[in-house]
mmCIF file of all heavy atoms in Angstrom:
data_model
loop_
_atom_site.group_PDB
_atom_site.id
_atom_site.type_symbol
_atom_site.label_atom_id
_atom_site.label_comp_id
_atom_site.label_asym_id
_atom_site.label_seq_id
_atom_site.Cartn_x
_atom_site.Cartn_y
_atom_site.Cartn_z
ATOM 1 N N LEU A 1 -17.677 12.402 17.143
ATOM 2 C CA LEU A 1 -18.779 11.450 17.320
ATOM 3 C C LEU A 1 -19.118 10.745 16.010
ATOM 4 O O LEU A 1 -19.419 9.538 16.003
ATOM 5 C CB LEU A 1 -20.021 12.166 17.847
ATOM 6 C CG LEU A 1 -20.110 12.435 19.344
ATOM 7 C CD1 LEU A 1 -21.473 13.038 19.672
ATOM 8 C CD2 LEU A 1 -19.894 11.172 20.165
ATOM 9 N N GLN A 2 -19.094 11.500 14.900
ATOM 10 C CA GLN A 2 -19.371 10.875 13.606
ATOM 11 C C GLN A 2 -18.374 9.747 13.329
ATOM 12 O O GLN A 2 -18.748 8.677 12.837
ATOM 13 C CB GLN A 2 -19.285 11.930 12.483
ATOM 14 C CG GLN A 2 -20.338 13.022 12.529
ATOM 15 C CD GLN A 2 -21.709 12.584 12.035
ATOM 16 O OE1 GLN A 2 -21.920 11.419 11.679
ATOM 17 N NE2 GLN A 2 -22.644 13.515 12.007
ATOM 18 N N LEU A 3 -17.107 9.973 13.670
ATOM 19 C CA LEU A 3 -16.094 8.945 13.421
ATOM 20 C C LEU A 3 -16.206 7.791 14.411
ATOM 21 O O LEU A 3 -15.983 6.632 14.054
ATOM 22 C CB LEU A 3 -14.692 9.570 13.483
ATOM 23 C CG LEU A 3 -14.390 10.629 12.413
ATOM 24 C CD1 LEU A 3 -12.951 11.106 12.537
ATOM 25 C CD2 LEU A 3 -14.656 10.090 11.011
ATOM 26 N N VAL A 4 -16.547 8.095 15.660
ATOM 27 C CA VAL A 4 -16.787 7.025 16.637
ATOM 28 C C VAL A 4 -17.938 6.150 16.163
ATOM 29 O O VAL A 4 -17.883 4.916 16.227
ATOM 30 C CB VAL A 4 -17.085 7.613 18.032
ATOM 31 C CG1 VAL A 4 -17.568 6.522 18.987
ATOM 32 C CG2 VAL A 4 -15.849 8.291 18.609
ATOM 33 N N ALA A 5 -18.998 6.786 15.667
ATOM 34 C CA ALA A 5 -20.159 6.047 15.173
ATOM 35 C C ALA A 5 -19.793 5.146 13.999
ATOM 36 O O ALA A 5 -20.359 4.063 13.835
ATOM 37 C CB ALA A 5 -21.257 7.023 14.756
ATOM 38 N N ALA A 6 -18.833 5.590 13.194
ATOM 39 C CA ALA A 6 -18.401 4.813 12.033
ATOM 40 C C ALA A 6 -17.349 3.774 12.384
ATOM 41 O O ALA A 6 -16.911 3.014 11.520
ATOM 42 C CB ALA A 6 -17.864 5.751 10.956
ATOM 43 N N GLY A 7 -16.916 3.758 13.656
ATOM 44 C CA GLY A 7 -15.915 2.790 14.082
ATOM 45 C C GLY A 7 -14.496 3.175 13.741
ATOM 46 O O GLY A 7 -13.596 2.328 13.774
ATOM 47 N N THR A 8 -14.269 4.455 13.412
ATOM 48 C CA THR A 8 -12.916 4.923 13.074
ATOM 49 C C THR A 8 -12.576 6.175 13.879
ATOM 50 O O THR A 8 -12.358 7.249 13.302
ATOM 51 C CB THR A 8 -12.806 5.228 11.570
ATOM 52 O OG1 THR A 8 -13.815 6.211 11.229
ATOM 53 C CG2 THR A 8 -13.007 3.982 10.734
ATOM 54 N N PRO A 9 -12.535 6.081 15.211
ATOM 55 C CA PRO A 9 -12.327 7.284 16.033
ATOM 56 C C PRO A 9 -10.964 7.925 15.807
ATOM 57 O O PRO A 9 -9.957 7.242 15.677
ATOM 58 C CB PRO A 9 -12.461 6.759 17.463
ATOM 59 C CG PRO A 9 -12.128 5.301 17.368
ATOM 60 C CD PRO A 9 -12.630 4.869 16.031
ATOM 61 N N GLU A 10 -10.972 9.251 15.743
ATOM 62 C CA GLU A 10 -9.762 10.064 15.680
ATOM 63 C C GLU A 10 -9.959 11.239 16.620
ATOM 64 O O GLU A 10 -11.089 11.697 16.835
ATOM 65 C CB GLU A 10 -9.514 10.585 14.254
ATOM 66 C CG GLU A 10 -9.191 9.522 13.226
ATOM 67 C CD GLU A 10 -7.793 8.929 13.394
ATOM 68 O OE1 GLU A 10 -7.011 9.494 14.193
ATOM 69 O OE2 GLU A 10 -7.496 7.928 12.735
ATOM 70 N N TYR A 11 -8.841 11.774 17.170
ATOM 71 C CA TYR A 11 -8.973 12.853 18.141
ATOM 72 C C TYR A 11 -8.096 14.063 17.824
ATOM 73 O O TYR A 11 -8.375 15.147 18.312
ATOM 74 C CB TYR A 11 -8.682 12.327 19.557
ATOM 75 C CG TYR A 11 -9.644 11.230 19.920
ATOM 76 C CD1 TYR A 11 -9.267 9.894 19.822
ATOM 77 C CD2 TYR A 11 -10.941 11.523 20.301
ATOM 78 C CE1 TYR A 11 -10.164 8.888 20.114
ATOM 79 C CE2 TYR A 11 -11.844 10.517 20.603
ATOM 80 C CZ TYR A 11 -11.446 9.199 20.505
ATOM 81 O OH TYR A 11 -12.341 8.207 20.785
ATOM 82 N N ASP A 12 -7.067 13.901 17.041
ATOM 83 C CA ASP A 12 -6.326 15.061 16.564
ATOM 84 C C ASP A 12 -7.257 15.864 15.667
ATOM 85 O O ASP A 12 -7.904 15.312 14.758
ATOM 86 C CB ASP A 12 -5.099 14.610 15.775
ATOM 87 C CG ASP A 12 -4.438 15.768 15.044
ATOM 88 O OD1 ASP A 12 -3.827 16.615 15.718
ATOM 89 O OD2 ASP A 12 -4.574 15.822 13.800
ATOM 90 N N TRP A 13 -7.366 17.166 15.895
ATOM 91 C CA TRP A 13 -8.390 17.933 15.189
ATOM 92 C C TRP A 13 -8.193 17.944 13.684
ATOM 93 O O TRP A 13 -9.151 17.845 12.916
ATOM 94 C CB TRP A 13 -8.499 19.349 15.759
ATOM 95 C CG TRP A 13 -7.328 20.261 15.546
ATOM 96 C CD1 TRP A 13 -6.211 20.371 16.329
ATOM 97 C CD2 TRP A 13 -7.162 21.211 14.489
ATOM 98 N NE1 TRP A 13 -5.367 21.332 15.835
ATOM 99 C CE2 TRP A 13 -5.924 21.871 14.706
ATOM 100 C CE3 TRP A 13 -7.946 21.584 13.387
ATOM 101 C CZ2 TRP A 13 -5.450 22.862 13.852
ATOM 102 C CZ3 TRP A 13 -7.472 22.581 12.537
ATOM 103 C CH2 TRP A 13 -6.234 23.204 12.776
ATOM 104 N N ARG A 14 -6.949 18.025 13.233
ATOM 105 C CA ARG A 14 -6.719 18.035 11.792
ATOM 106 C C ARG A 14 -7.111 16.701 11.174
ATOM 107 O O ARG A 14 -7.791 16.651 10.131
ATOM 108 C CB ARG A 14 -5.240 18.336 11.491
ATOM 109 C CG ARG A 14 -4.794 19.746 11.864
ATOM 110 C CD ARG A 14 -3.351 19.957 11.501
ATOM 111 N NE ARG A 14 -2.861 21.282 11.873
ATOM 112 C CZ ARG A 14 -2.388 21.581 13.078
ATOM 113 N NH1 ARG A 14 -2.320 20.650 14.026
ATOM 114 N NH2 ARG A 14 -1.977 22.808 13.356
ATOM 115 N N THR A 15 -6.687 15.608 11.811
ATOM 116 C CA THR A 15 -7.003 14.275 11.300
ATOM 117 C C THR A 15 -8.499 14.010 11.346
ATOM 118 O O THR A 15 -9.074 13.411 10.433
ATOM 119 C CB THR A 15 -6.257 13.205 12.113
ATOM 120 O OG1 THR A 15 -4.864 13.492 12.116
ATOM 121 C CG2 THR A 15 -6.483 11.819 11.527
ATOM 122 N N THR A 16 -9.147 14.471 12.427
ATOM 123 C CA THR A 16 -10.591 14.284 12.564
ATOM 124 C C THR A 16 -11.335 14.918 11.403
ATOM 125 O O THR A 16 -12.164 14.278 10.739
ATOM 126 C CB THR A 16 -11.082 14.890 13.893
ATOM 127 O OG1 THR A 16 -10.544 14.141 14.978
ATOM 128 C CG2 THR A 16 -12.606 14.855 13.969
ATOM 129 N N PHE A 17 -11.060 16.189 11.136
ATOM 130 C CA PHE A 17 -11.784 16.885 10.071
ATOM 131 C C PHE A 17 -11.438 16.323 8.691
ATOM 132 O O PHE A 17 -12.315 16.201 7.826
ATOM 133 C CB PHE A 17 -11.485 18.389 10.116
ATOM 134 C CG PHE A 17 -12.124 19.096 11.284
ATOM 135 C CD1 PHE A 17 -11.369 19.864 12.161
ATOM 136 C CD2 PHE A 17 -13.488 18.997 11.511
ATOM 137 C CE1 PHE A 17 -11.959 20.528 13.224
ATOM 138 C CE2 PHE A 17 -14.091 19.652 12.578
ATOM 139 C CZ PHE A 17 -13.320 20.415 13.437
ATOM 140 N N LYS A 18 -10.178 15.963 8.485
ATOM 141 C CA LYS A 18 -9.762 15.409 7.187
ATOM 142 C C LYS A 18 -10.447 14.069 6.937
ATOM 143 O O LYS A 18 -10.971 13.815 5.843
ATOM 144 C CB LYS A 18 -8.241 15.239 7.163
ATOM 145 C CG LYS A 18 -7.683 14.662 5.862
ATOM 146 C CD LYS A 18 -6.162 14.618 5.899
ATOM 147 C CE LYS A 18 -5.591 14.122 4.578
ATOM 148 N NZ LYS A 18 -5.910 12.696 4.333
ATOM 149 N N THR A 19 -10.463 13.218 7.976
ATOM 150 C CA THR A 19 -11.074 11.895 7.826
ATOM 151 C C THR A 19 -12.569 12.004 7.568
ATOM 152 O O THR A 19 -13.121 11.310 6.706
ATOM 153 C CB THR A 19 -10.822 11.047 9.080
ATOM 154 O OG1 THR A 19 -9.409 10.948 9.313
ATOM 155 C CG2 THR A 19 -11.391 9.646 8.927
ATOM 156 N N LEU A 20 -13.245 12.894 8.304
ATOM 157 C CA LEU A 20 -14.683 13.048 8.106
ATOM 158 C C LEU A 20 -14.987 13.629 6.732
ATOM 159 O O LEU A 20 -15.967 13.236 6.087
ATOM 160 C CB LEU A 20 -15.285 13.927 9.206
ATOM 161 C CG LEU A 20 -16.811 14.068 9.177
ATOM 162 C CD1 LEU A 20 -17.483 12.713 9.328
ATOM 163 C CD2 LEU A 20 -17.288 15.022 10.266
ATOM 164 N N SER A 21 -14.164 14.556 6.258
ATOM 165 C CA SER A 21 -14.366 15.122 4.924
ATOM 166 C C SER A 21 -14.281 14.045 3.850
ATOM 167 O O SER A 21 -15.051 14.046 2.877
ATOM 168 C CB SER A 21 -13.322 16.211 4.642
ATOM 169 O OG SER A 21 -13.538 17.349 5.437
ATOM 170 N N GLU A 22 -13.335 13.121 4.029
ATOM 171 C CA GLU A 22 -13.183 12.038 3.055
ATOM 172 C C GLU A 22 -14.337 11.045 3.151
ATOM 173 O O GLU A 22 -14.799 10.506 2.136
ATOM 174 C CB GLU A 22 -11.853 11.324 3.283
ATOM 175 C CG GLU A 22 -10.635 12.202 2.979
ATOM 176 C CD GLU A 22 -9.325 11.588 3.434
ATOM 177 O OE1 GLU A 22 -9.370 10.566 4.178
ATOM 178 O OE2 GLU A 22 -8.263 12.128 3.082
ATOM 179 N N MET A 23 -14.819 10.813 4.362
ATOM 180 C CA MET A 23 -15.893 9.860 4.584
ATOM 181 C C MET A 23 -17.251 10.418 4.173
ATOM 182 O O MET A 23 -18.100 9.708 3.643
ATOM 183 C CB MET A 23 -15.937 9.468 6.072
ATOM 184 C CG MET A 23 -16.999 8.444 6.420
ATOM 185 S SD MET A 23 -17.053 8.175 8.210
ATOM 186 C CE MET A 23 -15.361 7.632 8.505
ATOM 187 N N ARG A 24 -17.438 11.732 4.400
ATOM 188 C CA ARG A 24 -18.726 12.377 4.114
ATOM 189 C C ARG A 24 -18.492 13.589 3.207
ATOM 190 O O ARG A 24 -18.478 14.726 3.665
ATOM 191 C CB ARG A 24 -19.384 12.825 5.427
ATOM 192 C CG ARG A 24 -19.640 11.731 6.468
ATOM 193 C CD ARG A 24 -20.948 11.026 6.226
ATOM 194 N NE ARG A 24 -22.059 11.960 6.136
ATOM 195 C CZ ARG A 24 -22.706 12.487 7.197
ATOM 196 N NH1 ARG A 24 -22.325 12.159 8.425
ATOM 197 N NH2 ARG A 24 -23.721 13.305 7.032
ATOM 198 N N PRO A 25 -18.275 13.364 1.923
ATOM 199 C CA PRO A 25 -17.971 14.482 1.018
ATOM 200 C C PRO A 25 -19.028 15.584 1.037
ATOM 201 O O PRO A 25 -18.710 16.754 0.804
ATOM 202 C CB PRO A 25 -17.916 13.807 -0.362
ATOM 203 C CG PRO A 25 -17.591 12.379 -0.077
ATOM 204 C CD PRO A 25 -18.261 12.060 1.221
ATOM 205 N N GLU A 26 -20.271 15.217 1.330
ATOM 206 C CA GLU A 26 -21.340 16.223 1.346
ATOM 207 C C GLU A 26 -21.181 17.222 2.492
ATOM 208 O O GLU A 26 -21.818 18.280 2.505
ATOM 209 C CB GLU A 26 -22.712 15.532 1.452
ATOM 210 C CG GLU A 26 -23.057 14.940 2.806
ATOM 211 C CD GLU A 26 -22.479 13.542 3.053
ATOM 212 O OE1 GLU A 26 -21.591 13.126 2.276
ATOM 213 O OE2 GLU A 26 -22.920 12.883 3.999
ATOM 214 N N LEU A 27 -20.302 16.895 3.458
ATOM 215 C CA LEU A 27 -20.069 17.792 4.590
ATOM 216 C C LEU A 27 -18.819 18.651 4.425
ATOM 217 O O LEU A 27 -18.488 19.425 5.323
ATOM 218 C CB LEU A 27 -19.940 16.978 5.882
ATOM 219 C CG LEU A 27 -21.200 16.299 6.415
ATOM 220 C CD1 LEU A 27 -20.880 15.532 7.703
ATOM 221 C CD2 LEU A 27 -22.321 17.301 6.663
ATOM 222 N N GLN A 28 -18.121 18.514 3.308
ATOM 223 C CA GLN A 28 -16.844 19.201 3.164
ATOM 224 C C GLN A 28 -16.961 20.710 3.325
ATOM 225 O O GLN A 28 -16.122 21.350 3.972
ATOM 226 C CB GLN A 28 -16.207 18.850 1.817
ATOM 227 C CG GLN A 28 -15.667 17.429 1.763
ATOM 228 C CD GLN A 28 -15.057 17.080 0.426
ATOM 229 O OE1 GLN A 28 -15.082 17.884 -0.516
ATOM 230 N NE2 GLN A 28 -14.519 15.872 0.313
ATOM 231 N N GLY A 29 -17.999 21.305 2.766
ATOM 232 C CA GLY A 29 -18.175 22.750 2.895
ATOM 233 C C GLY A 29 -18.413 23.166 4.335
ATOM 234 O O GLY A 29 -17.818 24.129 4.828
ATOM 235 N N ALA A 30 -19.277 22.426 5.031
ATOM 236 C CA ALA A 30 -19.575 22.728 6.436
ATOM 237 C C ALA A 30 -18.330 22.552 7.295
ATOM 238 O O ALA A 30 -18.051 23.367 8.194
ATOM 239 C CB ALA A 30 -20.703 21.831 6.940
ATOM 240 N N ILE A 31 -17.574 21.500 7.027
ATOM 241 C CA ILE A 31 -16.359 21.246 7.799
ATOM 242 C C ILE A 31 -15.348 22.367 7.593
ATOM 243 O O ILE A 31 -14.699 22.824 8.544
ATOM 244 C CB ILE A 31 -15.758 19.875 7.415
ATOM 245 C CG1 ILE A 31 -16.674 18.751 7.928
ATOM 246 C CG2 ILE A 31 -14.344 19.717 7.977
ATOM 247 C CD1 ILE A 31 -16.317 17.379 7.398
ATOM 248 N N ALA A 32 -15.217 22.837 6.357
ATOM 249 C CA ALA A 32 -14.270 23.929 6.076
ATOM 250 C C ALA A 32 -14.641 25.185 6.872
ATOM 251 O O ALA A 32 -13.761 25.888 7.382
ATOM 252 C CB ALA A 32 -14.252 24.232 4.584
ATOM 253 N N VAL A 33 -15.932 25.459 6.997
ATOM 254 C CA VAL A 33 -16.365 26.625 7.773
ATOM 255 C C VAL A 33 -15.991 26.459 9.236
ATOM 256 O O VAL A 33 -15.463 27.381 9.875
ATOM 257 C CB VAL A 33 -17.888 26.836 7.625
ATOM 258 C CG1 VAL A 33 -18.377 27.901 8.610
ATOM 259 C CG2 VAL A 33 -18.232 27.246 6.197
ATOM 260 N N VAL A 34 -16.248 25.270 9.795
ATOM 261 C CA VAL A 34 -15.935 25.027 11.203
ATOM 262 C C VAL A 34 -14.425 25.091 11.439
ATOM 263 O O VAL A 34 -13.965 25.682 12.421
ATOM 264 C CB VAL A 34 -16.512 23.671 11.659
ATOM 265 C CG1 VAL A 34 -16.004 23.300 13.052
ATOM 266 C CG2 VAL A 34 -18.041 23.725 11.668
ATOM 267 N N VAL A 35 -13.640 24.512 10.551
ATOM 268 C CA VAL A 35 -12.182 24.561 10.690
ATOM 269 C C VAL A 35 -11.691 26.009 10.718
ATOM 270 O O VAL A 35 -10.758 26.354 11.459
ATOM 271 C CB VAL A 35 -11.495 23.783 9.552
ATOM 272 C CG1 VAL A 35 -9.991 24.038 9.545
ATOM 273 C CG2 VAL A 35 -11.757 22.282 9.696
ATOM 274 N N SER A 36 -12.316 26.886 9.943
ATOM 275 C CA SER A 36 -11.901 28.294 9.889
ATOM 276 C C SER A 36 -12.113 29.006 11.222
ATOM 277 O O SER A 36 -11.576 30.094 11.436
ATOM 278 C CB SER A 36 -12.653 29.031 8.782
ATOM 279 O OG SER A 36 -14.002 29.301 9.157
ATOM 280 N N LEU A 37 -12.887 28.393 12.129
ATOM 281 C CA LEU A 37 -13.159 28.995 13.436
ATOM 282 C C LEU A 37 -12.103 28.631 14.475
ATOM 283 O O LEU A 37 -12.171 29.100 15.610
ATOM 284 C CB LEU A 37 -14.536 28.544 13.949
ATOM 285 C CG LEU A 37 -15.733 28.842 13.054
ATOM 286 C CD1 LEU A 37 -17.009 28.314 13.687
ATOM 287 C CD2 LEU A 37 -15.846 30.330 12.767
ATOM 288 N N ARG A 38 -11.148 27.824 14.104
ATOM 289 C CA ARG A 38 -10.114 27.381 15.054
ATOM 290 C C ARG A 38 -9.445 28.549 15.797
ATOM 291 O O ARG A 38 -9.234 28.476 17.010
ATOM 292 C CB ARG A 38 -9.066 26.541 14.323
ATOM 293 C CG ARG A 38 -7.879 26.088 15.182
ATOM 294 C CD ARG A 38 -8.245 24.926 16.048
ATOM 295 N NE ARG A 38 -7.136 24.589 16.965
ATOM 296 C CZ ARG A 38 -7.140 23.558 17.784
ATOM 297 N NH1 ARG A 38 -8.167 22.745 17.817
ATOM 298 N NH2 ARG A 38 -6.120 23.320 18.581
ATOM 299 N N PRO A 39 -9.097 29.651 15.129
ATOM 300 C CA PRO A 39 -8.461 30.765 15.856
ATOM 301 C C PRO A 39 -9.330 31.328 16.977
ATOM 302 O O PRO A 39 -8.813 31.757 18.011
ATOM 303 C CB PRO A 39 -8.221 31.809 14.757
ATOM 304 C CG PRO A 39 -8.139 31.013 13.493
ATOM 305 C CD PRO A 39 -9.128 29.908 13.673
ATOM 306 N N PHE A 40 -10.646 31.318 16.795
ATOM 307 C CA PHE A 40 -11.539 31.836 17.838
ATOM 308 C C PHE A 40 -11.548 30.896 19.041
ATOM 309 O O PHE A 40 -11.600 31.328 20.188
ATOM 310 C CB PHE A 40 -12.951 32.021 17.282
ATOM 311 C CG PHE A 40 -13.024 33.042 16.192
ATOM 312 C CD1 PHE A 40 -12.939 32.662 14.859
ATOM 313 C CD2 PHE A 40 -13.143 34.391 16.488
ATOM 314 C CE1 PHE A 40 -12.989 33.604 13.843
ATOM 315 C CE2 PHE A 40 -13.197 35.345 15.482
ATOM 316 C CZ PHE A 40 -13.106 34.950 14.158
ATOM 317 N N TYR A 41 -11.474 29.597 18.759
ATOM 318 C CA TYR A 41 -11.381 28.606 19.832
ATOM 319 C C TYR A 41 -10.068 28.774 20.592
ATOM 320 O O TYR A 41 -10.036 28.717 21.826
ATOM 321 C CB TYR A 41 -11.480 27.204 19.240
ATOM 322 C CG TYR A 41 -11.181 26.091 20.215
ATOM 323 C CD1 TYR A 41 -12.115 25.700 21.167
ATOM 324 C CD2 TYR A 41 -9.946 25.437 20.175
ATOM 325 C CE1 TYR A 41 -11.837 24.682 22.063
ATOM 326 C CE2 TYR A 41 -9.666 24.422 21.064
ATOM 327 C CZ TYR A 41 -10.608 24.037 22.003
ATOM 328 O OH TYR A 41 -10.321 23.026 22.892
ATOM 329 N N GLU A 42 -8.982 28.991 19.874
ATOM 330 C CA GLU A 42 -7.687 29.176 20.524
ATOM 331 C C GLU A 42 -7.658 30.458 21.345
ATOM 332 O O GLU A 42 -6.976 30.530 22.364
ATOM 333 C CB GLU A 42 -6.571 29.172 19.477
ATOM 334 C CG GLU A 42 -6.368 27.814 18.831
ATOM 335 C CD GLU A 42 -5.239 27.796 17.822
ATOM 336 O OE1 GLU A 42 -4.735 28.886 17.491
ATOM 337 O OE2 GLU A 42 -4.864 26.701 17.362
ATOM 338 N N ALA A 43 -8.406 31.466 20.913
ATOM 339 C CA ALA A 43 -8.505 32.694 21.705
ATOM 340 C C ALA A 43 -9.204 32.417 23.027
ATOM 341 O O ALA A 43 -8.797 32.916 24.083
ATOM 342 C CB ALA A 43 -9.254 33.768 20.926
ATOM 343 N N LEU A 44 -10.257 31.600 22.986
ATOM 344 C CA LEU A 44 -10.954 31.228 24.222
ATOM 345 C C LEU A 44 -10.034 30.454 25.151
ATOM 346 O O LEU A 44 -10.097 30.585 26.374
ATOM 347 C CB LEU A 44 -12.177 30.350 23.904
ATOM 348 C CG LEU A 44 -13.380 31.012 23.262
ATOM 349 C CD1 LEU A 44 -14.480 29.975 23.061
ATOM 350 C CD2 LEU A 44 -13.886 32.174 24.090
ATOM 351 N N ASP A 45 -9.183 29.642 24.552
ATOM 352 C CA ASP A 45 -8.291 28.770 25.311
ATOM 353 C C ASP A 45 -7.006 29.474 25.741
ATOM 354 O O ASP A 45 -6.124 28.866 26.331
ATOM 355 C CB ASP A 45 -7.951 27.538 24.449
ATOM 356 C CG ASP A 45 -7.488 26.362 25.285
ATOM 357 O OD1 ASP A 45 -7.913 26.255 26.450
ATOM 358 O OD2 ASP A 45 -6.690 25.552 24.780
ATOM 359 N N GLY A 46 -6.879 30.761 25.401
ATOM 360 C CA GLY A 46 -5.716 31.524 25.818
ATOM 361 C C GLY A 46 -4.491 31.335 24.961
ATOM 362 O O GLY A 46 -3.396 31.773 25.315
#
């Protein structure tokens, strides 16, 4: 949503987080924490 709001939508998860980190450096720490949760999401998804 942040990227859609900025007019630069991305949907691949790696590209999404990388692009937002570059666009919003103040969120880099928060984004890194969320990215680290990917294995738990994949567990939910089987």
Side-chain angles (χ1 to χ4, degrees):
L1 278 185
Q2 294 283 2
L3 296 183
V4 170
T8 57
E10 294 288 350
Y11 300 100
D12 170 71
W13 67 274
R14 293 182 182 85
T15 305
T16 293
F17 288 126
K18 180 176 183 292
T19 303
L20 185 60
S21 291
E22 293 170 349
M23 182 185 301
R24 302 275 306 278
E26 73 277 14
L27 290 180
Q28 288 179 357
I31 290 170
V33 171
V34 171
V35 170
S36 75
L37 303 179
R38 176 78 186 185
F40 296 94
Y41 171 77
E42 292 182 350
L44 288 181
D45 202 29

